[in-house]
Amino acid sequence: MTLSILNAIPYNADGYVPSRIGPTIKAASSMNSLDTEVLTLARQWVAEGHTVHLATVIKTWGSAPRQAGAMLAVRQDGRLIGSVSGGCIEDDLIAQAREGRLPGKPQFVIYGVSQEEAARFGLPCGGTLKLVIEPLSLPGWLDRVVQATAEQQLIGRWLDLTTGISTLREAHPGEAPELNDQQCHFVYGPHWRLLIIGANQTARALAQIATMLEFQVIICDPRDEFTADLSMPGVAFQTGMPDDAVGEIHTDQRTAIVALTHDPKLDDMALLEALKSSAFYVGALGSTRNQSKRRERLKMFELTDDEIARLRGPVGLPIGSRTPAEIAVAVAAELVAVRREFEDQRVVGASGKQADKD
């Protein structure tokens, strides 16, 4: 898939600077992501004449309840969407909004510096959150970001804390929020991708769940009888061969690949390429007996024992699942578990110490 390249485009409260955006291939529409939900409703509120503020977690210490990048929008009457904590910080922001005490320009706010404040706002283990709170206006950057996230594009925004001007740029998976004395960097859209081989009922259920889990979802199935009438909001489709799809999406460390067709000719083709890739998760549907046969088949090709050992099969956590929806839940749960383990390993590698999991 080809995503549009975003040039540096400045926005401010006074006007909208038309963008010069390259051609876009719309892989999907109406992505049901948290970023899209929060920003879309915030944009609607502003258009209706409400005073709206956006609060974004920019940095955390200790066992903070939400990660950097979590956000919420709150309007002057206290109505809110999104989350930055377990609820107590939200209550404080609602109260400030109703009393008209939220800032008129971007500002940093820190919650939980002291043990007393951490207890007051319900932050566990002395966790601390640093938020950026900013007023929203139209026209502005919201239009382009809502459009980009709805199309499953990753997009970055630099906010100048002095002027309030936002500049949009191309973003890449793995980019995290950043801050310095004068600017904050935010990233919106899906940081993780899931390639599903097969367009059966299990695949459809998994695609819906994975989209809500902030995965960019691609379903690949070359069989016309399975894809002729298939249409899912927020999901991209490829009708080529599965092994080609693994290469065409430029599989990386933030990509998961799951084979669900029950057809060895299709599943195994994808797995041959997936197991040699840097995908953080590779799984296949099938019984323990069928998985053993599959591993024997894979040995006939140029795969090492370590590569074959990466295969997760039977796919999903063992929760006794039988129906397509239950199987999808099991697979999604394992995806989350492996993704979190991968993220924790990256934190340990970057910091040289164990991540706090309390």
Side-chain angles (χ1 to χ4, degrees), residues 193-211 215-223 227 230 232 235-242 245-246 249 255-261 266-267 270 281 283 285 328 331-332 335:
R193 294 182 299 166
L194 171 62
L195 173 63
I196 302 174
I197 307 303
N200 52 28
Q201 285 184 303
T202 301
R204 298 183 190 201
L206 178 58
Q208 290 179 316
I209 299 172
T211 300
F215 281 92
Q216 180 187 32
V217 180
I218 309 106
I219 294 179
C220 176
D221 198 320
R223 301 169 297 181
T227 59
L230 188 60
M232 296 182 65
V235 177
F237 298 95
Q238 291 198 2
T239 57
M241 297 306 293
V246 175
I249 67 170
T255 305
I257 300 172
V258 180
L260 300 178
T261 71
L266 297 178
D267 286 347
Y281 180 100
L285 191 64
V331 176
L335 278 172

Side-chain angles (χ1 to χ4, degrees), residues 5-9 154-158 167-171 185:
I5 302 300
L6 296 166
N7 298 321
I9 312 164
L154 201 61
I155 185 170
R157 175 172 72 102
W158 281 102
T167 302
L168 300 185
R169 297 183 183 275
E170 180 184 13
H185 181 228

Side-chain angles (χ1 to χ4, degrees), residues 38-121:
V38 172
L39 297 176
T40 298
L41 189 54
R43 184 186 180 283
Q44 176 183 322
W45 288 342
V46 176
E48 292 171 351
H50 293 282
T51 299
V52 182
H53 284 78
L54 182 70
T56 307
V57 178
I58 193 68
K59 192 173 182 180
T60 67
W61 297 266
S63 297
R66 295 298 307 275
Q67 294 182 323
M71 62 183 173
L72 65 79
V74 59
R75 68 188 200 186
Q76 80 282 354
D77 59 359
R79 188 169 171 182
L80 175 147
I81 183 172
S83 174
V84 294
S85 77
C88 293
I89 291 179
E90 282 81 349
D91 291 342
D92 184 62
L93 292 173
I94 289 171
Q96 291 191 56
R98 287 174 174 168
E99 296 167 8
R101 294 189 288 114
L102 291 178
K105 63 179 183 178
Q107 285 187 7
F108 286 132
V109 179
I110 298 179
Y111 286 91
V113 174
S114 66
Q115 290 295 330
E116 290 182 2
E117 195 173 53
R120 174 189 171 197
F121 293 111

